[in-house]
Amino acid sequence: MLRFFRSTENQRLIARLLRESFRQHMFGYGVAIVSMLVVAGMTTASALIMSDITNEFTVSKRIDKVYLIAAAVAAIFIIKGVATFAQSYFLSRAGNSIIAERQRKIYDRILEQGIEFYHSTSSADLITRMTNNAQAARNVIDLVVTSYVRDLVSLIGLLLVMVVKQPALSLVCFVVGPLAIYGVNRILKRIRKITEMEFLSIGQIVQVMQETAIGVRVVKSFGLEDAMRKRMYKAVSDVEHRANSIATLEAGTSPIMETLAGLAIAGVILVSGFLVVQGGQTAGSIMAFITALLLAYEPAKRIARVRISLETGIVGVRMMFQLADRPLTLAEKPDAKPLLPGPGEIRFDEVSFSYNEGQSVLKDFDLTIEPGKMTALVGPSGSGKSTMLNLIMRMYDPQKGRILFDDQDISHATLASLRQKIAYVSQETFLFAGTVMHNIRLGRENATDAEVIAAAKAANAHDFITGLAKGYDTEVGENGTLLSGGQRQRISIARAMLRNAEILLLDEATSALDAESEALFRDALQQLTAGRTTIVIAHRLSTVHQADTIVVLENGQVVESGAHRDLLRQGGLYQKLYEYQLMP
Ligand code: ADP
């Protein structure tokens, strides 16, 4: 009972895994289980038949019986072979489908999470969970099924043969067996700890590798190779040490078991010798007993080790469920409704927001953004400009107050309808692996080729695209590395153009473009913003000149707002920023 309670957490995890993943694959597992029962039955039969073989050969010596026995042995092993095939085949197929299904689920959950989740979880951690943990789920189910069906049933069958054929001898084995199991269980606890650490170290390796790949320019230009190498070597050695510790523990269990089994067999031979030579027992029953004992060794070993093997997999399953159960940082209300179309007014109504408790970024913030106009946000770095865009996109929810689109609270709207209304052009343009066409079409999935090209033309991107080796079918490389900064920006404008959303949010790039790119970009932007509610985080004088209204922020407060000329005349913060060319 004590052990039962101690391992309830593991049992709960396994029960949940079976509930969530085993049921849908009942057919595959059903066939595998039936096959396993056949394998177990045939194993038992092969031990049982030894008694007939020995007795027929040594006592009755009838040749017709020999034929029969030979045929029976052949049949036993043919059936066992077919059943073993069916068992592995169906087990693997069901297992692979579980991996795929878990990976889809894990990914869906990760996608659903808000930005905060991504800030607090490293991508390396996510990758490890996506790959290792799904595999662990399959391994655990495989192990539970094979151990508790095939091995357990085989073991019970073989033990029955032993007890029926030689009750006294069986006693010897029943004393040694539990001793071995006790020894193995002691090792259990240590393996669990080490495995958990090993997972973390693998995560470290992935992280260092990613940082090296993504930050290769910084690594090279600052000569950080040694520092990176040190980190990587440390992570690699950690994994090596842990793998070695696990290997030592695992290596220890087999020989201990084997030695004990050998001793048991020696004892059995001794006692059985006496029984046959002096006790008048048939050699057949002794042979059946010894065969059953030898055959029982493997399944007994696996069952004794099942908890150790489960420990490794359970760690992965636990991590997988942790991810699945992590509350969504940003969820749609159950009664969420789509936002209705409107002129495109955005209003902050008494909004208070902080990323971390106690560090208020916006406090009782009120602001109305006029529909169809261009509003420029300016202010020193850290004044809350990006935060405003984050809240409008509902990347975060404010702790207090509301954000309204044409008088509709966005926290009551469906996320899809909210995102539909918005096109966002970020400071660093992000391109996905794929062609130019693919990257622009991400703005609106069902757009035709002609619409994509029209958008590219409006974004002043068409000319350079047709000049590329394969035009619109040119691969852009990982994160668009094959294109220049200006080209990437124009592709992202084309993407936003294609989306044709009511509201445009623009985080202006701070990096300087060359004069020609800048002119093309400006022109493209003008087309995009015409007649649309646009909020732009402005870093350039030319942008503020273009804006209808300028909102000046400082420490999360609106300190000034109005048209460029009026603000300059006031001689406040705006005038100072303007003199410094706005660039924070
Ligand atoms: P701006 O865009 O005007 O430079 P931000 O809106 O990015 O300013 O930042 C406003 C404040 O919020 C700053 O003090 C910044 O340190 C803080 N901040 C921004 N993003 C986060 C985040 N993800 N977690 C915690 N604090 C943040």
Side-chain angles (χ1 to χ4, degrees):
M1 276 309 265
L2 247 182
R3 174 177 309 158
F4 177 83
F5 281 117
R6 244 185 271 151
S7 60
T8 41
E9 199 225 332
N10 285 356
Q11 286 173 354
R12 254 204 322 271
L13 285 173
I14 293 177
R16 176 167 171 196
L17 185 63
L18 293 181
R19 206 168 48 237
E20 289 186 11
S21 289
F22 184 73
R23 279 202 188 156
Q24 299 92 307
H25 305 279
M26 270 315 220
F27 174 75
Y29 282 115
V31 178
I33 286 173
V34 170
S35 312
M36 285 176 187
L37 294 177
V38 174
V39 172
M42 290 304 115
T43 308
T44 310
S46 63
L48 215 48
I49 207 166
M50 281 313 285
S51 117
D52 294 313
I53 296 174
T54 317
N55 288 343
E56 289 308 326
F57 287 6
T58 55
V59 186
S60 55
K61 298 194 176 174
R62 279 174 52 191
I63 198 68
D64 56 331
K65 278 282 178 73
V66 172
Y67 289 140
L68 204 66
I69 290 173
V73 171
I76 286 173
F77 282 94
I78 290 171
I79 296 173
K80 191 172 170 181
V82 173
T84 307
F85 166 80
Q87 162 215 303
S88 323
Y89 177 80
F90 283 99
L91 205 60
S92 300
R93 290 193 65 112
N96 290 338
S97 125
I98 284 179
I99 295 182
E101 175 190 297
R102 296 303 334 184
Q103 285 181 329
R104 282 185 215 115
K105 271 203 178 141
I106 293 175
Y107 188 64
D108 282 349
R109 186 70 185 184
I110 294 174
L111 262 191
E112 259 183 289
Q113 290 286 3
I115 299 277
E116 272 162 274
F117 170 83
Y118 289 87
H119 285 312
S120 61
T121 322
S122 77
S123 59
D125 183 17
L126 295 179
I127 291 168
T128 316
R129 281 173 203 249
M130 183 79 179
T131 49
N132 288 18
N133 296 4
Q135 178 73 44
R138 179 215 160 142
N139 292 350
V140 165
I141 294 185
D142 273 7
L143 207 66
V144 168
V145 173
T146 38
S147 310
Y148 291 116
V149 179
R150 189 189 60 195
D151 291 338
L152 198 61
V153 175
S154 300
L155 190 63
I156 291 172
L158 294 167
L159 291 182
L160 276 177
V161 172
M162 285 166 65
V163 173
V164 168
K165 295 286 178 185
Q166 290 295 337
L169 279 178
S170 302
L171 265 181
V172 179
C173 308
F174 296 165
V175 173
V176 178
L179 267 177
I181 292 171
Y182 172 75
V184 170
N185 279 346
R186 284 187 58 121
I187 305 176
L188 228 160
K189 269 208 182 113
R190 290 191 54 200
I191 291 209
R192 185 211 296 238
K193 273 234 149 54
I194 300 172
T195 317
E196 234 156 6
M197 305 282 281
E198 196 182 4
F199 264 122
L200 293 179
S201 305
I202 292 174
Q204 269 286 315
I205 292 185
V206 178
Q207 185 169 20
V208 178
M209 193 59 249
Q210 267 181 332
E211 285 182 12
T212 311
I214 297 170
V216 62
R217 282 205 181 80
V218 182
V219 171
K220 297 257 178 218
S221 58
F222 283 82
L224 299 178
E225 285 95 341
D226 279 341
M228 296 303 281
R229 191 176 293 123
K230 244 190 228 154
R231 277 179 60 196
M232 180 55 100
Y233 281 11
K234 183 174 179 312
V236 170
S237 312
D238 280 354
V239 173
E240 189 188 0
H241 286 314
R242 298 207 167 104
N244 281 341
S245 307
I246 294 177
T248 312
L249 291 176
E250 283 187 343
T253 52
S254 276
I256 291 173
M257 297 278 290
E258 216 129 315
T259 312
L260 286 170
L263 291 179
I265 289 169
V268 166
I269 290 173
L270 190 71
V271 180
S272 59
F274 273 107
L275 289 176
V276 175
V277 177
Q278 295 180 348
Q281 298 229 4
T282 67
S285 70
I286 298 280
M287 277 311 288
F289 174 83
I290 293 182
T291 311
L293 177 63
L294 291 176
L295 286 175
Y297 170 64
E298 277 300 323
K301 188 173 83 176
R302 277 198 295 267
I303 289 176
R305 288 170 55 113
V306 64
R307 293 194 53 202
I308 296 188
S309 318
L310 271 181
E311 282 302 320
T312 325
I314 285 275
V315 175
V317 171
R318 186 181 303 126
M319 288 172 81
M320 182 179 81
F321 283 139
Q322 271 169 4
L323 188 68
D325 294 344
R326 211 150 130 183
L328 293 179
T329 47
L330 198 139
E332 205 171 77
K333 292 222 159 53
D335 56 349
K337 297 207 176 50
L339 286 169
L340 302 173
E345 183 201 71
I346 302 172
R347 187 148 60 87
F348 283 75
D349 177 26
E350 306 251 305
V351 169
S352 295
F353 175 74
S354 61
Y355 291 99
N356 302 312
E357 226 171 297
Q359 293 175 331
S360 156
V361 178
L362 299 180
K363 196 152 181 285
D364 299 325
F365 188 85
D366 283 309
L367 181 69
T368 303
I369 309 274
E370 281 186 78
K373 299 271 175 66
M374 181 170 175
T375 304
L377 303 179
V378 300
S381 172
S383 55
K385 305 181 292 291
S386 311
T387 304
M388 281 180 63
L389 297 198
N390 283 340
L391 291 174
I392 292 173
M393 286 187 277
R394 204 175 165 219
M395 298 290 172
Y396 299 89
D397 277 329
Q399 280 84 17
K400 200 182 126 262
R402 300 177 302 165
I403 291 161
L404 305 155
F405 280 18
D406 297 317
D407 289 325
Q408 307 162 78
D409 187 341
I410 62 169
S411 69
H412 292 287
T414 58
L415 286 170
S417 74
L418 173 66
R419 305 271 151 83
Q420 192 80 46
K421 269 190 185 284
I422 299 173
Y424 172 58
V425 179
S426 59
Q427 205 172 77
E428 306 97 26
T429 51
F430 185 83
L431 299 187
F432 293 85
T435 61
V436 172
M437 179 69 85
H438 167 71
N439 266 289
I440 299 178
R441 187 171 281 137
L442 289 172
R444 183 155 51 87
E445 243 178 314
N446 56 7
T448 62
D449 284 5
E451 285 171 320
V452 170
I453 292 169
K457 280 187 177 153
N460 282 337
H462 181 72
D463 287 346
F464 92 77
I465 294 172
T466 46
L468 294 171
K470 291 192 187 158
Y472 281 86
D473 294 327
T474 311
E475 297 279 333
V476 297
E478 194 172 337
N479 197 13
T481 36
L482 304 179
L483 301 175
S484 76
Q487 291 172 334
R488 282 205 296 270
Q489 273 185 338
R490 275 176 278 154
I491 288 194
S492 71
I493 298 254
R495 197 191 271 166
M497 197 80 90
L498 189 63
R499 190 162 187 81
N500 197 18
E502 286 169 30
I503 293 164
L504 175 68
L505 304 179
L506 191 73
D507 193 350
E508 200 171 46
T510 45
S511 60
L513 297 174
D514 60 69
E516 195 197 341
S517 297
E518 168 83 32
L520 289 171
F521 178 74
R522 281 284 124 224
D523 184 39
L525 204 59
Q526 211 145 25
Q527 295 227 33
L528 179 60
T529 55
R532 238 184 268 272
T533 308
T534 303
I535 304 179
V536 50
I537 298 182
H539 297 297
R540 290 168 215 276
L541 298 181
S542 51
T543 312
V544 290
H545 287 146
Q546 229 176 315
D548 299 295
T549 313
I550 297 156
V551 173
V552 187
L553 292 174
E554 190 179 28
N555 295 327
Q557 301 281 336
V558 177
V559 286
E560 294 165 30
S561 79
H564 171 66
R565 267 171 219 287
D566 301 336
L567 288 178
L568 264 194
R569 230 176 286 133
Q570 282 179 18
L573 178 60
Y574 181 73
Q575 194 213 6
K576 257 191 251 153
L577 290 167
Y578 190 75
E579 277 168 12
Y580 285 115
Q581 303 276 305
L582 286 174
M583 289 278 219

